[in-house]
Amino acid sequence: MSSCLDAARPETAQAETTRFRPAIHFTARDTWLNDPNGLVFHNGLYHLFFQNNPHGSVWGNMSWGHATSRDLLHWTEHPVAIACDEAEDIYSGSVVVDHGNTSGFGTADAPALVAIYTSAYKAASQHSGTQAQSLAYSTDAGMTWKKYDGNPVLSRHSPHFRDPKVFRYQGDQGACWVMVAVEAQHQKVVFYRSDDLKSWVFLSDFGPANADAGEWECPDLFPLPVDGDPDNIKWVLIVNVNPGAVAGGSGGQYFIGSFDGIRFCPDAGSLAAPAGVSALGDSAAAATALQQCLWLDWGRDCYASVSFSDAPDGRRIIIGWMNNWDYANQLPTAPWRSSMTIAREVRLTANSGSARLIQQPVLAGGCAGADLPAAKDHVNADPFELEHSAFRLPDAVPGSAHIIEAEILPGSAERIEFRLFGNVDGSAGTVLSYNAAAAVLLLDRRRSGSTGFHEKFASAESAPLVLEDGLLKLQIVVDHCSVEVFAQGGKVVLTDLIFPEVGNRGNWLSAGNGSARILKLTTSTLT
Ligand code: FRU
């Protein structure tokens, strides 16, 4: 069989799609990417490894690409870190810094970085048809990698056992490594433990639960204090699902619960339907049940979100793949195709007796909520009443992303509407609207520009949203082909890709059938 390294690298970028290249979201220079892998902070650098086809702009030849950043906004791409070969594709996984040199790959003074990845075995392998977990390690701070010669280190002789996320667990009996991975087609998260990363012991499994109509992929498990209280720690279990997410196709759900070093127990408040959503017969009931699950993102384009190991100051930062398997291979860009979401810092907050995740975009030097060094205010309006005529915001600037921040009292208005990347006659644009009576936030990209490249792309995504003290709070991160909405301080997040027509760069805010009070409205460029 031919080697996966035979194919020619694609030639230069097509001019007509370079305008969609994001300013502050990572893309591979001229190839395909999917899931973020091996997110780790080490020696002052954030490392982003990623599912990469080094030889093309559609999924295939799966290898780990590599990029680094100091601020999570500007990335430098490096040579492929772990390449596929005739025997295996390199599927998703994680990286840990082996501080105690438990694996023996480094030294106590110079710990190795250890990648735990899925070997997706091909016909040339004796393990053909199975997926198992393998190791590679780096003793030069992540720049070059060597596969462990004892691979695989963990097999269940299963065709769909993948996506290991490994973290250091500190329990009463001491510390150990814990792996969360999936039996994708059985909708199960499986938990293992190890002392040296090489030999693994089964602990327990979890699932199916909540959204279980599709394959379960790319899990993550981490503790967080509720509202910063160190005496109230909850564990967050992220489970990505494809298809069967709330907006259709792929998406990320999460569970809140406890983890005792062996077993994850979900809080009752994080379970939507005891029998599992897919067990419900009729589609309306299934849609309602899906709405009750906990979603990282209610949009179409946030998948495979996982968190950084060793992020500074104990913070928990996640990045997702900004795409959806429904149409990922057909996005109208080439030879680069796909990007990552903005990095998001996650926290837990109490919510009607149980905890919920809140997410904030990380926009300044790796710090969520800090002042934006790269930002320039275009508009900083004094509070005003918005009634009949739409308020025109600054146009989108080619070469820059921007963030719109707004605090709005909808008052008597039935509908608050942002139209982004619009034209003057109002016939085109991506529409973000809030319907006060329905208490629903809607992101509608049906007239956003190029949508015809796949029948499932034109869509409108909704999320339930409750006003707080009558207030709608929005942060909207807009890049050349994406809109990421963080509402109510990050309690509700919606991410959609868009491909606007050339020249449609206008942005408007309007109030429908009534008047609204705009307390805050700023637009800042992010470069
Ligand atoms: C998720 C996924 C993973 C797998 C990888 C292969 O998008 O299907 O389960 O490891 O992509 O590229």
Side-chain angles (χ1 to χ4, degrees), residues 418-477:
F418 283 90
R419 191 161 56 86
L420 309 171
F421 288 110
N423 58 356
V424 176
D425 74 19
S427 60
T430 300
V431 177
L432 174 68
S433 60
Y434 181 68
N435 180 323
V440 163
L441 188 66
L442 187 86
L443 184 55
D444 184 345
R445 64 178 177 190
R446 286 174 293 187
R447 292 183 296 138
S448 59
S450 172
T451 59
F453 55 87
H454 193 284
E455 59 182 20
K456 291 190 173 169
F457 188 80
S459 62
E461 283 65 65
S462 62
L465 186 146
V466 180
L467 298 178
E468 292 171 8
D469 298 326
L471 206 58
L472 173 66
K473 288 195 256 179
L474 297 171
Q475 291 171 293
I476 312 168
V477 177

Side-chain angles (χ1 to χ4, degrees), residues 82-94:
I82 313 175
C84 63
D85 59 24
E86 290 194 354
E88 64 175 13
D89 275 342
I90 314 297
Y91 276 15
S92 289
S94 50

Side-chain angles (χ1 to χ4, degrees), residues 32 34-35 37 51-52 59-60 62-63 90-93 118 120 131 162-164 182 184 215-218 240 242 250 303-304 321 325:
W32 161 274
N34 56 291
D35 315 354
N37 295 151
Q51 287 287 279
N52 181 221
W59 186 87
M62 294 326 292
S63 303
I90 314 297
Y91 276 15
S92 289
T118 298
Q131 297 179 346
R162 60 178 180 265
D163 305 344
V182 289
E215 296 197 13
W216 277 18
E217 300 184 314
C218 301
N240 288 277
N242 173 57
S250 11
Y303 192 57
W321 175 45
W325 281 119

Side-chain angles (χ1 to χ4, degrees), residues 379-434:
V379 160
N380 197 351
D382 288 332
F384 64 100
E385 211 67 23
L386 182 64
E387 202 167 358
H388 300 298
S389 50
F391 182 92
R392 185 154 189 180
L393 293 143
D395 285 2
V397 180
S400 305
H402 62 279
I403 179 168
I404 301 169
E405 297 183 276
E407 291 186 9
I408 300 171
L409 289 166
S412 64
E414 286 174 11
R415 182 182 151 94
I416 305 295
E417 176 178 303
F418 283 90
R419 191 161 56 86
L420 309 171
F421 288 110
N423 58 356
V424 176
D425 74 19
S427 60
T430 300
V431 177
L432 174 68
S433 60
Y434 181 68

